[in-house]
Amino acid sequence: MSGLQIKNVRMHFSGVRALDDISFNVNEGEIFSLIGPNGSGKTTLLNATSGIYPLNTGAIKFEGRSIEKSSPHEIARAGIARTFQIARIFPRMTALENMLAPGFAVRDPNTEDRTTLIRRAKEHLEFLDIDGFAHEQAADLSGGQRMLLQFARALMLKPRLMLLDEPFGGIHPLLVERILQRINDLRSRGIDFIVVSHDLPTIMVLATRIIVLANGRLIADGTPNEVREDPGVIEAYLGV
Ligand code: ADP
Ligand code: MG
């Protein structure tokens, strides 16, 4: 069984229902997007899927295996990589050193030595057009470049599913364009995506399928055109 299955997932934080009985499947071949107003539960859903918080109830399966009790590290090894809304990088390391940390974490020592990892890291930096910064300290990169570095780092895990949290937030339009192209490139190479964003126009051109959350509930699921015309979605967005 391929893809990701989320079933009856609930998560609350001291009385706040951050996720209220969420179920959906992400099939292979999708650029799946999760949208919704601020505080609707998007990041919480990515945190649940990547093992950062334990679920209150529910089940999550990836490629047929239950992962809801797995640690973030095990989930990364299972093939799910993610980026964060605020880039999580090591500011005092160079861009290249930032790449090697996740590379070492998941490598098979029989097939990947340090040289192989460095080569792969450079290829990913080049793919995202930030190889010119390989030896710069991550702290010196712009917000957009840090987002690209996080993206490149996630590729070190050789993921089959990537979870991107607000990858377009506060980023120059030219970099947004580059990220969109790279997501499409990677999709054509077999990587699936869940892209979380409140940037509706960008999501409308990128996603093949969209799920809308509001107050922790799933209020719509469909193609960009279906979601665009959904009265509940319009209300959720205008109501905040
Ligand atoms: P979004 O990413 O859609 O903006 P979040 O998933 O970050 O929303 O948050 C959903 C709700 O859960 C919000 O009410 C938020 O305050 C709450 N929440 C998220 N994470 C925590 C946490 N670690 N502790 C307490 N409340 C949290
Ligand atoms: Mg968020």
Side-chain angles (χ1 to χ4, degrees), residues 13-14 16-18 36-45 47 53 85 165-166 196:
F13 299 107
S14 51
V16 177
R17 279 193 192 170
N38 253 341
S40 56
K42 305 182 296 296
T43 297
T44 304
L45 190 50
N47 286 342
Y53 297 134
Q85 210 163 342
D165 199 355
E166 302 282 0
V196 163

Side-chain angles (χ1 to χ4, degrees), residues 100-167:
L100 296 180
F104 275 113
V106 300
R107 83 184 166 128
D108 173 355
N110 296 319
T111 57
E112 279 201 305
D113 59 12
R114 192 181 161 82
T115 317
T116 325
L117 271 188
I118 291 177
R119 190 171 58 233
R120 210 153 63 72
K122 286 184 172 164
E123 279 168 16
H124 294 322
L125 291 174
E126 211 169 296
F127 175 66
L128 288 158
D129 290 323
I130 48 170
D131 47 315
F133 304 105
H135 301 290
E136 305 271 331
Q137 275 216 341
D140 294 335
L141 302 181
S142 72
Q145 289 160 348
R146 287 178 198 199
M147 184 54 77
L148 293 169
L149 176 58
Q150 273 204 103
F151 198 139
R153 277 188 79 182
L155 290 174
M156 290 304 283
L157 301 170
K158 300 183 182 167
R160 292 185 297 289
L161 173 66
M162 292 184 83
L163 315 176
L164 308 181
D165 199 355
E166 302 282 0

Side-chain angles (χ1 to χ4, degrees), residues 158-199:
K158 300 183 182 167
R160 292 185 297 289
L161 173 66
M162 292 184 83
L163 315 176
L164 308 181
D165 199 355
E166 302 282 0
F168 316 116
I171 286 188
H172 189 282
L174 286 174
L175 291 188
V176 170
E177 197 52 44
R178 189 190 298 171
I179 292 175
L180 289 174
Q181 278 171 7
R182 297 307 182 271
I183 292 173
N184 280 305
D185 285 350
L186 292 167
R187 170 76 288 286
S188 61
R189 293 189 214 164
I191 299 181
D192 299 320
F193 284 88
I194 301 182
V195 182
V196 163
S197 180
H198 61 257
D199 180 350

